[in-house]
Amino acid sequence: MSKRIAIVEDEAAIRENYADVLRSQGYQVQTYVDRESATQAFSLRLPHLVILDIGLEEEYDGGFILCQWLRTLSTTLPIIFLTARDNDFDTVSGLRIGADDYLTKDISLPHLSARISALFRRQDAMNQPQQEDHLISVGSMTIDSQRMSVKWKEQLIDLTITEFWMVYALAKHPGHVKNRTQLMQDSNIFVDDSTITSHIKRIRKKFIKTDDTFDYIETVYGMGYRWNEDTQNSMSSASHA
């Protein structure tokens, strides 16, 4: 049975473009122009995944309100914000109220499709037994590539799909600098430099919330970012960079 995806977007051309592409990939797609019509439909039956814009018709934050309401119905329904608003405040707000990912509208359609597939894979993997061969240890961190989850000192870090792949890209080669283009390629996203910076900031904050001594993601100015396994490694890798 094919997965049902709902798109809530008030711009008709964008909405139908996304819908056509996803239907061609075998998904069932329902589209909605505003929060009211989406709410009525979701009250009867929830889709398997929701793609939301933030501004919906006259409601500047209609997507945020809809996301909060959806989270009262389901804690596991995958929700993606897809919006033109790429400032830190909106991004953090969207993730804080329960979205699984926050993407800007300059993302390519193949990358959007990859992100949707990744969310479905993660959801399916959560229902499977954990497999040892998918676990990678980097210092105090354990990465489960099957479930797309990260633990730091045995504490689960609540990362979005985008954030998970960025951490994975950095941590699998500790001490190696990844520039922004490499991070985008590894994370299946296409965003501007400031959005990459925003993702890194949020990732750091999430680790620091669990461990206030966390300082393992280093900004290498003019070059990119690297993962330092510990402070000594950081100093030695910096001297050989």
Side-chain angles (χ1 to χ4, degrees):
M1 181 179 158
S2 61
K3 300 278 193 183
R4 288 176 286 105
I5 294 176
I7 300 172
V8 190
E9 164 64 64
D10 58 359
E11 292 185 50
I14 293 174
R15 184 175 65 245
E16 295 313 314
N17 194 20
Y18 292 147
D20 287 347
V21 169
L22 294 175
R23 286 183 184 122
S24 72
Q25 294 172 355
Y27 296 113
Q28 295 180 46
V29 183
Q30 291 91 33
T31 62
Y32 306 94
V33 70
D34 56 24
R35 182 168 65 91
E36 185 180 357
S37 59
T39 301
Q40 288 174 353
F42 298 159
S43 296
L44 297 173
R45 187 188 193 194
L46 281 178
H48 294 117
L49 181 143
V50 178
I51 298 170
L52 283 176
D53 196 0
I54 299 174
L56 296 171
E57 301 261 273
E58 302 303 314
E59 292 189 296
Y60 183 74
D61 287 338
F64 284 160
I65 297 166
L66 184 55
C67 179
Q68 286 177 303
W69 176 75
L70 282 167
R71 276 290 166 254
T72 67
L73 301 182
S74 170
T75 57
T76 57
L77 172 70
I79 300 173
I80 298 174
F81 274 114
L82 187 59
T83 176
R85 282 152 62 174
D86 63 354
N87 61 73
D88 267 1
F89 178 79
D90 283 328
T91 309
V92 171
S93 298
L95 297 172
R96 187 176 291 148
I97 62 177
D100 293 280
D101 224 334
Y102 188 108
L103 306 170
T104 50
K105 286 181 179 174
D106 55 4
I107 190 170
S108 70
L109 287 166
H111 283 160
L112 174 61
S113 299
R115 200 45 98 246
I116 290 168
S117 297
L119 275 168
F120 283 140
R121 281 202 313 276
R122 183 171 74 172
Q123 196 173 41
D124 292 341
M126 289 298 181
N127 299 321
Q128 304 297 322
Q130 194 172 56
Q131 296 179 24
E132 292 294 323
D133 58 344
H134 289 279
L135 299 179
I136 303 164
S137 292
V138 183
S140 300
M141 183 167 63
T142 304
I143 299 173
D144 185 334
S145 61
Q146 180 191 24
R147 298 185 176 198
M148 292 175 234
S149 63
V150 168
K151 284 185 177 179
W152 179 259
K153 297 182 177 178
E154 299 303 315
Q155 296 292 310
L156 187 67
I157 307 296
D158 185 21
L159 300 176
T160 69
I161 292 286
T162 300
E163 291 164 353
F164 168 80
W165 285 118
M166 289 180 74
V167 169
Y168 184 82
L170 289 168
K172 68 181 178 180
H173 299 297
H176 291 238
V177 177
K178 288 271 186 179
N179 63 36
R180 288 176 169 83
T181 301
Q182 290 169 321
L183 279 177
M184 283 194 284
Q185 288 170 344
D186 288 347
S187 308
N188 266 322
I189 55 171
F190 181 77
V191 293
D192 59 25
D193 282 359
S194 64
T195 309
I196 288 277
T197 304
S198 298
H199 280 302
I200 293 289
K201 281 181 183 173
R202 282 199 310 280
I203 291 167
R204 283 188 180 122
K205 283 179 183 174
K206 288 181 176 183
F207 277 93
I208 288 168
K209 190 175 177 183
T210 295
D211 176 4
D212 59 11
T213 66
F214 179 87
D215 64 350
Y216 296 89
I217 299 175
E218 180 186 358
T219 301
V220 183
Y221 291 99
M223 295 177 67
Y225 302 94
R226 70 174 152 208
W227 184 277
N228 290 316
E229 212 168 317
D230 55 44
T231 309
Q232 278 107 14
N233 282 352
S234 144
M235 292 171 67
S236 70
S237 63
S239 65
H240 291 98

